Amino acid sequence: MDPPNGDWQPSGRPHLPTPNDAFPYSPLTSIVPFDSGVIPLPSASPSRLPPISFGREDDERAKRTIARLDSESSLSGNPSLQLHQASRDVEQFLKSDDLTKYKFKSPRLPHRSTYMANGDASLSNSQMPPRKQKSKLGNFASALLQNMNDYPKYHAELPKQSNGNKNLPPKPHSKSAGHNVLSPTMSIEHTPHKHPVQANEPPIRAAPADSSSNIVLSPAVVIKGPTSSNPSEYQAHPEVDQVVLQEESKLSKKRKRGQEAPGASIPAVSVDQREKAEAALQDLTATFNTIFETEDNLEPDTSGAIPKDSQNVFVPVTQGEGLGYMLTRDIQNKVDGAVAKVVGGGRFSDVSSDDLSRFQKLCHNSVLASAGLDLAAPESSDEMAASAWGDRLEVSENSLRASRILLRIMTAGREERQLYSEEILQDLLQNFRHLLETCIIPITESRASSPYHQVLKSNKSLKAAVSDVLSRSGRVMRLLADFLNQVDVSESSINIIETTTATLIFVENATNDKEAILGSQKFEAFRRNAMDVLARIFLRFPAQRRSIVHEILTSLEKLPVTRQSARQFKVVDGKPIQLVSALLMQLIQTSASPSSSTQPSKKSRKEHGDQTAAESEDETSSTYTLMKTAKPLFDSAQSNATFVTNFLVQRALKSTKTGDQPYRNLLDIFTEDFLSVLGSPDWPAAELILRALLSHLIGIAESEKTPAPAKNMALDIMGVMGSGIADIRINIERSQRSLENAGDSLGSELCQIAETVLENQTNEEDLLSIQGPYRAVVDHFQIRDLHELQLQSARDLFLAQWARNIWTDAFADESVAHREAEPSENYEKVAEWLGLVMQDRLALDTDSGLGLVSVTYGRLAYAMAVMTMPFCKASRRIFAILVNALSSPHATVRSRSLKSVIQLLDKDPSILDRSSNIMGHILRSTSDPSTMVRDSALGLVGKCLFLRPSLESECFKTIIQRTADPAVSVRKRALRLGKDVYVQNERQEVRAAIADAFLTHVSDEEETVSEIARQSLEDIWLAPFYGKIDSTENHAQVQEALRKQASQIVATAQRGDVVVAALEPWFKQLLRESSKTTNANHRVCKELVKILFDRLIENEGLNGKTNRQHILQTLTVFAKSSPRLFNSDHMTTMRPYIENLSTVEDLLIYRSVVVIYRHVLPILPRLHHQFLHDVQSTLLSGIAKLGKMELNEVATCLWIINNVLQNSERLVKLLVSVLKGVQSSKDKDLSKDSENPTLNRVKRYMMIAGPFGKACNLDPNKDRFAEEFSWWKGDSISDLIVEIVGPFASSKQPLALREQALESILLICQSWPRNFFKKIVISSLESALKSADPRLEYAVLVGFRAFYVQEEEQSKSIAEGSTEQNGTTASERLGKSLISSDNDGAATSLAQQYLSHVLRIALASTSERALIAAEVVTSANRQGLVHPRECGPALVALETCPDKAIAKVAFEEHKNLNSKHESILEKEHLKAVEQAFAYQRDTIKDPSGVDSQLLPKLALFFEVLKAGSANSRKKIFGNLVKKLDFDPRQVTASSQMESHLLYAKFVCQNMALAEYGRIDEILHIINCVGAIFSTTGDVLAQKIESIIKVKEEAVANQEGREIHQHPVQEATSCKPEDLKRFTLSARVLMLLWQTRTHLRAAWGLQSLVRGGAAETNGDNKKGPGRRGRPPASDTNKAPTRSANVGTEEFLRGIETTTGPLSDEETMRTQCRTFMQLHSTDTEAKVAAGSDEDADVAEADRLDTPDGVTSFDREDRSATGGSAPPSGGNKRGRKRSSVGGASTAGTPTKTGKKRGRPPLGKRKSSGVNKMVLKEDGDDDGGWD
């Protein structure tokens, strides 16, 4: 295009005005310019003004600006900021009195006659330039004109013309043609400052056109003539002024001056600013001149010294490259400041490019001066070294200042290419990187203990110098970011910058200033600058984005442990996050920012301009246009976010939290960081990343093929995500409550929308509207400092997200989003505005929008926007996935889902209200087979109860059930949870049930559980009353609480005799234990007893009898625990209750009172004799009505009373009468009728004789008995009773009499043990035990137990030194303990004679008889009455009993025996395991090795072993494996192998699931299994080969290439019995291999086994340097079980292997499976490459053969174990078969051979293998 003031003259020759003609139109007539450059000098040539337009691009930009202004005016009902700005500027023009007044002479326009006279008659009237032209104004111009209509008009009068024509303009002074006015004059738009200057734009003029040619008229500038104005003509409008001032205030807050976005229009410059800019320019020029003159005057000097007159400019350089001098610090600072001022004043273009280029060379010299310097800090405090290092630092600091000046010049916008030297830039970057790598980074990574720290701490000047270097490096880094934003640089420079900044990102900085030499926050600020530089590269070079992200992600594993979790990046109004997290988010946000490289080129726009214009004419949908603009930006960000999440997830799936690679932990840390800033508008990329991550995790969680560890990871992170979403919801609720009374329209609108968001009833159009939350967020961005790239990128991504939401909601399917679609009017309105903003970000600076949006409003609006985005919308799906995972077949998955649900409930308890079925899932999980799941489920139940106490009635039964859980951890959690429920619940029945559960576990075998139960009961029953009983304060309330507590204890005791029996030892322990609370507990219990007696008197109504029964039963507990709680008044109160025995209830009351009397009367000697006499009479009168239990108590009570009254005559009469009754029936035959009255009478007499013979010592009255029984010649009444009763225990008597006789005899023997040696007693006992009658056995066992318990109590009292009753000294007690007595002999005799019978009874069932028998056995062992060998195996077998009481008794005694006699029991343990198997097979009828809870049945056995020595354990484990070995050649019957297979299954299941104390124990088992599998497997494989021929047939494709192999079987003649025998043998070996595989995987021993500990054929002796066992330091540690290995899958594999053999084909298939398993050694497989993904892919390709589970396959392929592959291209190495021959034609492969030597050549291994070998003492060769 030609210049605008080109050939405008109508004639051929231009008319050149003279200076005199042009001078009146020049501004020189009215102002004096401060610079000659402002106004160009007059020239005689035609003026050539700069072109108005520079091309199509500028025209399009101008059109877009006009369209934007017009669109804003039409879209928004409120006037835009741009309109207010323009109106305010015009207002200043009209109102200001300080404007500079220009006085120009009025121009004269030629008259029409002039044109005619000059020969321009061709211009007709219609062609004459009009005086006034009307043009169509746009919306913006019309609105501006409308605003100006409210202000006074400026009236100007034109001077009168001499020709009298008022309608024509005046003639010019000159006769030049073509000065025609085409449009009215226009004022130049500007922003007024302190002293605004009015400038009038001259009118446009055009030249006339020839009639013969169509000449385009060009505009010309004409200066407006002088006008006059009168200030009095102006009118004031205060209301308008106020509105304008308010808008000006808004504008000043929304965008501070000097913070305009890049590319914004530069405001007009005031005179003061021009003067400052000119002064800065002159100062810079003068400084340059001084520097250059000084440089020119420098003379070459070999000494390198600088003359004195030049030392203020240059300093010598003795190191590095370049010239021998460099600029001084002061000169550099001066130039740096001057350049900054000149650039800021807009005068940098006036600086000479030659001066700049020359000065750059000087700066380059300063940069080169630091090249190659040793900047490493000294490690010693030597002064010379420190001084030299300080000098080098000074040079480096000079280089940094020079680098800063160079970057400032390069970023100033000059166009001269010589100012952008690639060489200078390369040197600058190289030296900067050298400084960072050799100085800054090492010092930053050093700590307080490093020598650097000590040197710098002692030398403050050096520390200050290093700190200054770090600060200047930060300034260089900031300028480098600006440089990358403005200048295109080479790829090599970009690579240097990228690697340098990436290195800084991963520097290990200290977490506190104490450890950091330079200060941790100072380096973090510097690192933040590096992050901005990296983001600039990411923005400018889209092609390198993926490589940048990949480099950052792969560098994560280099992070040290301390850096992985270090969160040192400070977030506004939030917790700090990781710098890498912030970097990843900023990079993804930057992806949504438009870059110069993403814009189409000018050529492309020119080529496609017509097509684009045509399309734009056809397209009517602004939404569709918006989609085309914003979709590439959003897709770019989404693609990068997906790449990041996919990378992290894939790496995390291959690592663990405790592994070497940190990606699993890093994924958790990143997720937490992203969730931490999810509600911050500064980081919209967090939602995008979390959305992509959640999508990936959902795919993992919902896939049925996903392994359990991957699902656990997904559920874990999804739980954290759900908690983060709940945080957003909580923040919205909190903000909504705080803004309810905000009072402004925006706050009210946001609160209303927030309510709909929280209720999930959001209207998308309201959210996305131009007045909605999205717009509030955008306006909130505008009040921020958008100079930061991070905020710019955040705004850009949010705009792209807004645009995406619009088109996705407007077009449900993007494929139909074509021009015919008709979005709603609201969407079109928003899309039109948003489209303009997406194309030109400056539109946001000029749009008032919603006004000033505060931080609170902005964050609330953004939180609502995030809450409606896909990530937060998926919260319900997250919860559904977690709930569905509760039914997963993997226990670890179920446990993980429960823990994740707990996380959600912590944040959002309303889930319980929204999901009605959640509690059902949770309660069902409390009964899960997995301990881990049950424990997690109980934790979740506790959380639910804490959040919703109303759920107690629904949950407390489940809690009580779990208190009896077999797992200790579950019991402990259930007890603690029960305590919380007890405190919160006031219902008596609930509290009684919980207290019952506590009492049950007071005597738990696990001490920690027992302690929790005891302490919990004390805390809830007694502790609340400590110190309050004797206090007068709140006495009534305390008494009321005590009454409630007493009622609660009665209600608890009312639950049964078991509870009462448990209460007694608990109270005994509390009241007798010497502790700080003993006295307090005694005081509380005494008050409770008093209250119970008060209630006993009060309950005299109809229901009083029942209540009295329970109260008295409770009082018996206190009486047995501590009789001193009672007094004589209490005894008197109870007397009436022993007088009536008419009903059963009376009998229960009677028994309770007698028990209390029996325990309390001995400590109350001062009771009145008459009272005792009355009690004695009452008790004697009711004996005929009493049962066995009551008789025992009454007999004891009567004897106690007799000791006080000394009237034994009444007891003698009673006993004589009873014995006579028995004696009288001695010769009668009572076996005919069981209902014979005589039989019942004799039975009754014996029932009375036994208790009284036991309790009463009537030997002083033997004369009286001798008189009555003259035939008796004995010395003891007990002998008489035994002689009379004994004959009735013979086998000839009826069973009822025999039972009662045995009971009575045994009662007598308890007090008089010598009677055990009587023949009649011995024969009676032997007869009863040999009869195998349950009733007789029960009677005998009860008697034995009572006797042994009595003996133990006596021994215990002697050992404890109790002197409460006899007051003996310690020496006397010791003497008595060493004296043999009848009791000792009787106890030993019973153990020797009847132990075998007792053991038989204990192992024969799980009934109460078995429990009593087990108690007898354990009591005899505790007293040392039998050898440990005799009972050890039986105790191990009883430990496997499903009855927990029996198992507990056996376990405690076995543990006690093993601690004392480990060496003795060691050889019995093999027999013990065999006996346990037999006990399970024959008695329990379940030969498997696991119980219903999937726990090993020998768990208690292994627990006992763990308390012993490690060598003993290894020997036992080795012998157990050895016992499973066999010789296939000696197996002659399948029945042998069937039994052996069951035993092998029992042992393998127990060993696979056992808990081990050390790693070497597991390795020893693995070694032993490997030895058996290799040796016995070779023999068995040879046997199987004889009946099944296995060939490998190569199947080739069409090209003849071998692609895979598969076995083809040829059946031979085989007997079914032989086939079955070999199949059973193969099953045994397969069980061993599956156990080995599970042990390796479950305990994470794959690496140790592959290291050389597995493939040893029983011989672990390796030479030095050979592949042997791992070091002892690794194997002596306690192993850690992997939570990702499923027990259920292993057990399913075992069941598959030992399944029924239905037909011959099944047996053949299993034999072939064994052959594959034995012949292929996948541990020797060489992976193709080192990529671990290849291993995983290979594992996925391996199929599962019959009898081998997928778990085995997965372990072998992934961990190096052996598995039989059935497909795939990679095959494991073949094991060598027996004798070195291949299996049925299989070619022998070279390499290490597995198994033994050939049968004919190998030596004896010393292992005697037999199928059913009984002797397990041979231990050789297995250690």
Side-chain angles (χ1 to χ4, degrees), residues 147 192 255 281 562 1144:
N147 288 349
R255 176 62 50 83
L281 177 62
T562 54
V1144 177

Side-chain angles (χ1 to χ4, degrees), residues 960 978 982 989-1002 1013 1017 1020-1021 1048-1049 1052 1055 1059 1062-1063:
I960 294 174
Y982 185 100
E989 61 273 17
V990 174
R991 288 189 165 188
I994 297 173
D996 185 359
F998 286 146
L999 290 169
T1000 303
H1001 294 283
V1002 165
L1017 270 179
I1020 60 180
W1021 274 7
Q1048 188 61 62
I1049 296 176
T1052 304
R1055 294 179 63 86
V1059 179
L1063 274 172

Side-chain angles (χ1 to χ4, degrees), residues 206-224:
D210 250 46
S211 59
S212 60
S213 62
N214 186 14
I215 300 176
V216 179
L217 300 179
S218 300
V221 177
V222 178
I223 300 175
K224 186 178 179 180

Side-chain angles (χ1 to χ4, degrees), residues 1051-1103:
T1052 304
Q1054 188 178 344
R1055 294 179 63 86
D1057 294 337
V1058 177
V1059 179
V1060 175
L1063 274 172
E1064 179 184 343
W1066 180 71
F1067 274 114
K1068 279 186 178 180
Q1069 187 176 16
L1070 288 178
L1071 298 174
R1072 294 185 180 180
E1073 189 179 27
S1074 57
S1075 64
K1076 296 180 180 179
T1077 60
T1078 300
N1079 294 332
N1081 290 333
H1082 191 277
R1083 184 72 186 89
V1084 175
C1085 290
K1086 192 170 185 179
E1087 192 68 21
L1088 290 173
V1089 169
K1090 177 183 176 182
I1091 292 175
L1092 288 175
F1093 273 101
D1094 293 340
R1095 288 192 57 188
L1096 188 65
I1097 299 174
E1098 295 172 359
N1099 287 281
E1100 296 294 343
L1102 295 177
N1103 297 326

Side-chain angles (χ1 to χ4, degrees), residues 4 206 226 375 620 755 1371 1373 1460 1474 1650:
L375 299 177
T620 58
E755 185 175 355
S1371 61
R1373 292 193 302 274
K1460 298 176 181 178
E1474 292 178 352
R1650 287 196 296 267

Side-chain angles (χ1 to χ4, degrees), residues 1246-1371:
M1246 288 189 294
M1247 188 187 298
I1248 297 173
F1252 277 90
K1254 174 189 175 184
C1256 304
N1257 184 9
L1258 298 176
D1259 289 347
N1261 305 96
K1262 62 181 179 178
D1263 296 337
R1264 175 66 184 279
F1265 286 92
E1267 294 176 359
E1268 298 292 336
F1269 304 96
S1270 57
W1271 53 268
W1272 177 65
K1273 305 300 181 180
D1275 296 331
S1276 175
I1277 305 302
S1278 63
D1279 296 343
L1280 175 61
I1281 299 175
V1282 170
E1283 290 180 10
I1284 294 176
V1285 177
F1288 292 92
S1290 66
S1291 58
K1292 299 179 182 180
Q1293 297 295 336
L1295 181 60
L1297 284 180
R1298 292 182 67 186
E1299 180 185 5
Q1300 185 57 57
L1302 286 171
E1303 290 179 359
S1304 299
I1305 291 172
L1306 290 171
L1307 284 174
I1308 299 299
C1309 291
Q1310 289 178 25
S1311 296
W1312 319 100
R1314 67 175 182 269
N1315 289 290
F1316 279 117
F1317 300 104
K1318 290 183 177 293
K1319 292 183 179 180
I1320 190 172
V1321 175
I1322 295 174
S1323 61
S1324 299
L1325 293 176
E1326 288 182 351
S1327 174
L1329 292 175
K1330 290 180 180 180
S1331 66
D1333 185 273
R1335 293 173 63 181
L1336 299 180
E1337 289 178 348
Y1338 182 82
V1340 173
L1341 292 173
V1342 169
F1344 285 173
R1345 181 181 63 177
F1347 176 71
Y1348 280 126
V1349 169
Q1350 176 182 289
E1351 289 298 302
E1352 284 192 273
E1353 289 179 352
Q1354 290 178 0
S1355 301
K1356 185 178 180 181
S1357 64
I1358 294 175
E1360 291 177 351
S1362 175
T1363 59
E1364 292 183 359
Q1365 295 182 358
N1366 52 24
T1368 57
T1369 62
S1371 61

Side-chain angles (χ1 to χ4, degrees), residues 611-621 624-625 818-820:
Q611 180 181 356
T612 304
E615 291 179 355
S616 60
E617 290 177 2
D618 295 338
E619 293 169 358
T620 58
S621 173
Y624 181 67
T625 305
H818 49 79
R819 64 195 60 166
E820 286 80 10

